[in-house]
Amino acid sequence: MPDDKQDAKTATLTFDNKSLELPMLSPTCGPDVIDIRKLYAQGDIFTYDPGFTSTAACESNITFIDGEEGVLLHRGYPIEQLAQQSHFLEVCYLLLYGELPSAEKLEDFENRVTKHTMIHEQMKNFFSGFRRDAHPMAIMTGVVGAMSAFYHDSTDIHDPWQREVASIRLIAKMPTIAAMAFKYSMGQPFVYPLNELDYASNFLRMCFSVPAEEYHVDPILARAMDRIFTLHADHEQNASTSTVRLASSSGANPFACIAAGIACLWGPAHGGANQACLEMLREIGTVDRIPEFIARAKDKNDPFRLMGFGHRVYKNHDPRATVMKESADEVLELMGIENNPTLQVAKELEKQALEDPYFTEKKLFPNVDFYSGIILDAMGFPTSMFTPIFALSRTVGWVAQWKEMLTDDHMKIGRPRQLYTGAGPRDYVEVENR
C-alpha cells in the first residue's frame, strides 16, 4: 500500500454543505486512487458503483492492464514477451512468486507440479455420479470444490506451508480434472498423467489418447496449447478473480474459493466468449455473407453483435490477440485445414471490420477470443470444453491472487453496500385483513 504520509495529495468531496478531505494513493502504474475507507464513518454516505468499474477493491502487485494503450503486464513483464519467449509453468512461477526463476528454481517448480498431477483415486467416483451429457464446467465446479474433502493437509489458510501445497496441487491437478471431464463426456476411459511430458503435452495426451493406440503429441499443438494457457493465466480483477477474492475474504478453504471462480467463469459474458465467437463464425457460414452481418452489427436496432471484437477493458488492441493469431495460423497449417471455411470467414471478417471506420473509430479490434476458439476447434475440442480450458489456464492467476490477499494487512471480509430502493418501514398485517 502506498505510504499515506508520503503521499500528500488529497481530494475534496463536497455535499450538503459539508466538505471531506480524502487521501489519494498513487500506484506504480495507472490512475491515482481516492481512499474512501473512512467515507461512511466521517460523512455517513456511501459511493454507488454498479459492477465496481470505478472502484479499487484491493491492492495487488501481480497484473497491470492499461486498456487505453493495450498493455498487459505480469509482474512488469509484457504478455507478448512472455507468450513468445517463455512457457506456461515459468509464467506460473512468476505469478506465484513475483520474479522469473533461475534454471534450478524452475526445474524444482516443474518437478513439484509434475508430482502432483494425479488425483485421489476415490475422486473418480464423483464423475460417475454425473450424467454423461453433463457440462464439463458443472463437473469441474463440483470436483474442485470436493478436493477439500480429500486433501485435509492443505486447507488451513493460516499455515504458509499448507497454502503452498494447495497452490501446487490446484495448478497440477486442474488439467487432470479437465481432461477427465472431457473423457467422461465421450464415454472413454480416463487417461492418467505421464510425468515425462510437459504440462501442455500432458493435457493433450490425457484428452486425446486412448488405450488401444499409441499417441504422440505434436510439438506445434503443444506449443499452441501452452500459449493459450499463458495468455489466459491472469487478467487482473475480473469477475471470476474478484469472486475468488470475495470467497477468500470469508476464510473459505482454497478449493472452495477456486470452485467459486470456476462457477463465475462459466458465465457466457466471461469465460464463454470464445465459444460464442466460434458459434458466430459458423452462423455467418460463408465469406459472401459477411457484409450482411457487419451491417447488422452496425444497426442499433438489431441485437446481433460481432463476438470477438472489442473488450470490456481494452479500448485498443488486445495485446494477446496478435500472439493467438500466430498460433492459429501454425495450428491450422499443421492440421491441413488452413482453407477451413470457418477460418476463411474469420480472416475476411477481421479484414473487413478493420477497414470499416465504424469499428476502427470505436476501437473494436479483434481480441484474444477471436482466434482461440478456432485453435481449440481445430485441435478437436468441442465448444463445451472451451471454458474448462479457460478455467484450467486461469487457476494459477486465481491462486496467486488468493495467496496475495491472505497476506494483505488491509484484507477484510467483503461487504459491498447498496442503494436501497424498497419499501420503507411498515407494520405487519394479519392475513385475513390483507
Side-chain angles (χ1 to χ4, degrees):
M1 176 68 67
D3 190 336
D4 293 3
K5 294 180 181 179
Q6 293 182 7
D7 194 335
K9 291 189 290 186
T10 61
T12 302
L13 175 64
T14 303
F15 62 99
D16 293 337
N17 298 319
K18 300 178 184 178
S19 290
L20 292 179
E21 292 292 322
L22 301 172
M24 295 184 68
L25 309 175
S26 297
T28 305
C29 301
D32 288 346
V33 175
I34 300 174
D35 185 349
I36 62 169
R37 282 175 289 179
K38 297 182 179 179
L39 182 62
Y40 179 54
Q42 296 179 352
D44 196 30
I45 60 171
F46 300 137
T47 57
Y48 181 61
D49 184 21
F52 308 112
T53 56
S54 297
T55 300
C58 67
E59 175 191 357
S60 180
N61 55 31
I62 299 172
T63 297
F64 172 73
I65 296 173
D66 185 335
E68 296 296 330
E69 297 297 326
V71 171
L72 171 59
L73 307 177
H74 290 327
R75 305 287 192 180
Y77 294 97
I79 187 62
E80 301 94 328
Q81 293 182 19
L82 294 173
Q84 295 282 11
Q85 299 172 244
S86 184
H87 63 277
F88 182 63
L89 283 185
E90 185 175 50
V91 173
C92 287
Y93 187 102
L94 173 68
L95 292 173
L96 288 173
Y97 305 116
E99 297 292 343
L100 289 171
S102 65
E104 293 77 16
K105 288 182 178 180
L106 179 58
E107 182 179 5
D108 172 70
F109 179 71
E110 290 176 336
N111 287 336
R112 284 189 288 143
V113 171
T114 299
K115 291 178 181 178
H116 278 286
T117 52
M118 295 282 290
I119 65 171
H120 195 289
E121 191 69 7
Q122 278 187 279
M123 292 184 73
K124 292 199 303 183
N125 298 331
F126 276 87
F127 291 85
S128 60
F130 290 95
R131 287 173 41 147
R132 286 287 179 182
D133 60 354
H135 196 288
M137 285 294 278
I139 297 175
M140 289 184 69
T141 302
V143 174
V144 172
M147 287 175 70
S148 60
F150 290 86
Y151 302 107
H152 302 289
D153 61 342
S154 57
T155 57
D156 183 354
I157 64 173
H158 303 294
D159 184 337
W161 174 248
Q162 292 200 31
R163 292 200 301 265
E164 177 69 12
V165 173
S167 302
I168 297 298
R169 279 178 170 156
L170 281 161
I171 295 167
K173 298 180 191 304
M174 200 64 74
T176 308
I177 294 171
M180 291 175 74
F182 178 46
K183 284 296 194 184
Y184 184 76
S185 68
M186 296 191 297
Q188 295 183 0
F190 296 142
V191 177
Y192 288 89
L194 192 61
N195 286 355
E196 67 185 42
L197 296 178
D198 62 74
Y199 194 87
S201 298
N202 212 354
F203 175 65
L204 290 172
R205 177 182 172 274
M206 287 190 290
C207 286
F208 295 117
S209 68
V210 293
E213 299 176 1
E214 287 290 328
Y215 180 82
H216 300 285
V217 182
D218 189 286
I220 294 179
L221 296 185
R223 177 58 176 157
M225 192 80 260
D226 189 87
R227 279 184 173 178
I228 288 176
F229 292 160
T230 299
L231 293 171
H232 290 90
D234 191 55
H235 209 239
E236 208 221 65
Q237 306 308 317
N238 51 78
S240 58
T241 300
S242 298
T243 298
V244 171
R245 279 183 171 265
L246 191 60
S248 303
S249 74
S250 72
N253 71 75
F255 307 109
C257 295
I258 300 306
I262 294 172
C264 180
L265 187 72
W266 195 356
H270 190 6
N274 53 5
Q275 176 178 342
C277 181
L278 184 64
E279 291 171 350
M280 176 201 71
L281 294 173
R282 288 173 173 170
E283 181 185 359
I284 295 174
T286 56
V287 171
D288 60 289
R289 297 189 66 199
I290 290 176
E292 169 195 343
F293 283 86
I294 286 183
R296 289 182 59 190
K298 293 160 67 173
D299 184 354
K300 295 181 180 180
N301 297 319
D302 193 318
F304 175 79
R305 293 292 181 268
L306 282 184
M307 302 303 297
F309 284 81
H311 193 277
R312 174 74 177 272
V313 173
Y314 298 111
K315 307 307 177 186
N316 204 318
H317 289 281
D318 182 341
R320 303 167 297 172
T322 302
V323 181
M324 193 65 75
K325 182 178 180 180
E326 291 176 4
S327 288
D329 290 337
E330 293 172 359
V331 169
L332 294 168
E333 181 179 0
L334 172 70
M335 305 296 286
I337 52 176
E338 61 270 22
N339 294 319
N340 176 280
T342 303
L343 176 63
Q344 296 305 312
V345 169
K347 288 185 173 181
E348 185 60 26
L349 177 60
E350 178 186 29
K351 178 176 179 293
Q352 292 190 28
L354 293 180
E355 292 174 350
D356 192 316
Y358 176 87
F359 295 97
T360 55
E361 289 172 5
K362 294 180 179 294
K363 297 183 178 180
L364 297 176
F365 303 113
N367 59 39
V368 69
D369 300 310
F370 189 73
Y371 280 102
S372 62
I374 297 174
I375 295 174
L376 294 174
D377 178 61
M379 288 181 175
F381 287 106
T383 54
S384 61
M385 275 299 293
F386 289 6
T387 314
I389 290 171
F390 193 161
L392 186 172
S393 310
R394 184 56 54 84
T395 295
V396 64
W398 292 332
V399 168
Q401 300 272 350
W402 168 75
K403 289 182 67 179
E404 179 182 66
M405 181 178 181
L406 292 177
T407 58
D408 186 350
D409 294 336
H410 299 277
M411 190 270 282
K412 294 182 178 181
I413 185 171
R415 181 56 173 92
R417 300 296 185 168
Q418 66 176 8
L419 175 65
Y420 177 71
T421 57
R426 49 183 173 173
D427 294 325
Y428 177 83
V429 179
E430 296 295 337
V431 63
E432 61 270 15
N433 297 322
R434 295 176 205 161

